[in-house]
Amino acid sequence: MVLVLTTVLGVGSQAQSQLVDVKLQLKWFPQAQFAGYLIAKEKGFYEAEGLNVELLPIGDQSPIQTVTVGGADFGNTWITDLLTARAQGLPVVHIAQIFQQSGYAMVSLKSSGIETPLDFKGKKVGIWPSGNEYPALALMKAFDLTTSLDTGVSNPDVELITYGFDPALVFPDQVDVASAMLYNELNQIVGLGYPLSELNVIHLPDYDINLLEDLLFTTERVLNDSNFKGSGQSGKEIAAKLVKASIEGWDYAVANPEETVQVVLTFCGATCQGSGSESDPLKHQTWQMTEIAKLYQAGPTLEGNAGLLDPSVYQANVETLKALGILSADPPAAVVDYSVWEMATGKSAPTS
C-alpha cells in the first residue's frame, strides 16, 4: 500500500531529489477519513511547499509508536492517544487539530427501547480496544453508570463487550449498543439491514463528551531539529509547511467532495468498502466524505481557523480524561505547540 501511495502520486525523480522527504503516519488505512492528505498529495500542495510526503497506512496499531521510534516524522491520531502517551513520558507534540468535533456515537435499535445513555443500565455495550474505548467510558461515567471494567464493582450497571471494530461481529445479537463512528461503522450498520429509521444514534458531543479525534502530531526531537534531514530547514519549519499544505488539502476536499471521493477510491482498495447493502466503495466513501466534512467544519468559533486546537475544547478534553482517571494531572504545556499552526497560517492563536 505504501508503494501505491508513493508511486501513483509521486513526482519525477529529479524533482523528488529537490524536495524534503517527509513520512506521515495515518491512524488507519486510506479512506475518506484522510481525504485532505490524499488531496494535498494529488494536487501537489505538499510539493509546492517543497515536501515529498509519503503517507503510511497502519491498521490497528498506534501511530504514536511509529512516530516516537522514528519510523515516521509526523502522525495522525486522536487526542486521547496523544495525551496518554505524553503522560507516559513520550515526547509527542500536538501541532494541528483537523477534526473540530468528535464523530463517535453509540448505536442501538429503536425496538430495544434504548434512547439515552441512562437506558444502558442492565445492557451489553460494545466497545473498541486499545484506548478507543475512552469516549464510551466517559459517556457512561457522566451518567454515573458503573461498568464491568470498574475494579471493585461486583454488580456493574453495564456489561462491556470488547470487539474488533466491525459491528457485524456483535450487533445486534451480542450487544444491545454498538460503538460507531458517524462516518464509518454507522454506515456499516445500515448496510447490515438496519436503516437509520430503525436506529437510535447517540452522538457523544450532544452529551458534552467531545474527545477530539484526528489531529497532526510529531515529536520534540523533530521540532527541535535545526537541520531536518539535511534540508537546511528546521523541523518546525517543515512541520509548518506540512500543516499549511494539509489544511489546503482539507479545504479543497470539503469544497469538492465528489472529486475527492474519486481520488480516495484510487487508494483504498478493500478498505473502501462498507457492509452489506452499503458495501459499494463509491457509496460508502461518499457517505464517509459527507460526514467527515461536518467534523472538519464544526465549531463556529473557529471559522476561518482550520487546523486550530480550540483552547477551551482542549481543556474540556483534559478535564474529561482526568475525571475518568486516564490522566492524573494536567499535561505539560509543551504537549501543544501553537507556534507551528501560527507559522503555517500567519495568524495568532488564542491564548485561552
Side-chain angles (χ1 to χ4, degrees):
M1 184 63 72
V2 175
L3 178 61
V4 172
L5 292 175
T6 305
T7 303
V8 172
L9 297 183
V11 295
S13 58
Q14 182 176 359
Q16 281 194 15
S17 66
Q18 300 169 0
L19 302 176
V20 181
D21 291 334
V22 172
K23 292 184 178 182
L24 173 58
Q25 179 67 71
L26 304 179
K27 185 174 171 60
W28 192 243
F29 299 107
Q31 55 183 0
Q33 179 183 358
F34 310 112
Y37 311 119
L38 300 176
I39 285 292
K41 185 143 178 107
E42 166 74 15
K43 296 294 180 182
F45 299 156
Y46 289 132
E47 183 179 349
E49 293 298 322
L51 306 180
N52 176 43
V53 176
E54 183 180 6
L55 303 172
L56 306 176
I58 197 166
D60 293 336
Q61 304 171 57
S62 170
I64 297 287
Q65 181 177 7
T66 307
V67 174
T68 53
V69 301
D73 309 299
F74 300 89
N76 162 267
T77 196
W78 292 4
I79 202 162
T80 303
D81 301 333
L82 184 91
L83 296 182
T84 53
R86 187 74 191 214
Q88 294 165 4
L90 298 177
V92 288
V93 182
H94 183 299
I95 58 173
Q97 184 62 49
I98 302 303
F99 291 178
Q100 299 297 336
Q101 187 178 78
S102 169
Y104 205 111
M106 308 298 292
V107 180
S108 64
L109 295 176
K110 284 186 176 179
S111 60
S112 71
I114 300 172
E115 298 180 355
T116 75
L118 284 174
D119 298 323
F120 292 0
K121 189 171 183 177
K123 305 297 183 180
K124 295 181 179 180
V125 174
I127 59 171
W128 297 325
S130 306
N132 295 295
E133 73 275 19
Y134 293 142
L137 297 181
L139 179 68
M140 285 176 271
K141 187 175 182 65
F143 282 83
D144 295 323
L145 295 171
T146 58
T147 77
S148 52
L149 289 183
D150 293 331
T151 57
V153 176
S154 59
N155 188 28
D157 297 320
V158 180
E159 181 181 352
L160 299 178
I161 306 295
T162 302
Y163 65 101
F165 300 99
D166 183 355
L169 297 173
V170 294
F171 186 83
D173 297 328
Q174 297 181 43
V175 301
D176 303 292
V177 183
S179 297
M181 303 308 294
L182 294 178
Y183 55 81
N184 198 358
E185 289 80 14
L186 178 57
N187 187 232
Q188 292 179 31
I189 290 173
V190 170
L192 294 174
Y194 306 101
L196 288 175
S197 61
E198 296 180 8
L199 299 174
N200 283 320
V201 180
I202 295 174
H203 189 199
L204 270 60
D206 293 341
Y207 294 86
D208 295 324
I209 305 297
N210 187 33
L211 289 170
L212 294 174
E213 290 139 9
D214 295 40
L215 58 86
L216 286 173
F217 75 97
T218 188
T219 61
E220 289 182 344
R221 174 184 54 80
V222 168
L223 293 179
N224 294 333
D225 191 340
S226 61
N227 186 20
F228 182 86
K229 296 185 179 180
S231 65
Q233 302 173 73
S234 70
K236 185 169 287 190
E237 288 174 307
I238 296 297
K241 290 181 176 182
L242 179 75
V243 169
K244 179 181 178 182
S246 295
I247 291 173
E248 189 175 359
W250 275 106
D251 286 345
Y252 187 98
V254 169
N256 301 276
E258 293 183 3
E259 178 187 352
T260 296
V261 168
Q262 293 300 322
V263 171
V264 170
L265 291 174
T266 65
F267 291 108
C268 55
T271 61
C272 284
Q273 298 178 3
S275 296
S277 64
E278 298 297 309
S279 63
D280 177 71
L282 176 59
K283 288 181 66 176
H284 186 54
Q285 292 306 311
T286 297
W287 171 299
Q288 190 164 123
M289 188 65 228
T290 299
E291 296 301 322
I292 287 296
K294 298 174 187 177
L295 304 182
Y296 179 70
Q297 295 173 312
T301 59
L302 294 180
E303 186 173 352
N305 288 323
L308 177 66
L309 174 61
D310 186 324
S312 62
V313 176
Y314 169 67
Q315 191 55 46
N317 278 209
V318 169
E319 294 305 320
T320 295
L321 294 174
K322 286 166 61 179
L324 277 173
I326 304 302
L327 296 179
S328 59
D330 286 343
V335 74
V336 178
D337 190 335
Y338 281 104
S339 70
V340 174
W341 181 86
E342 291 177 332
M343 289 173 65
T345 63
K347 301 177 182 180
S348 297
T351 56
S352 62

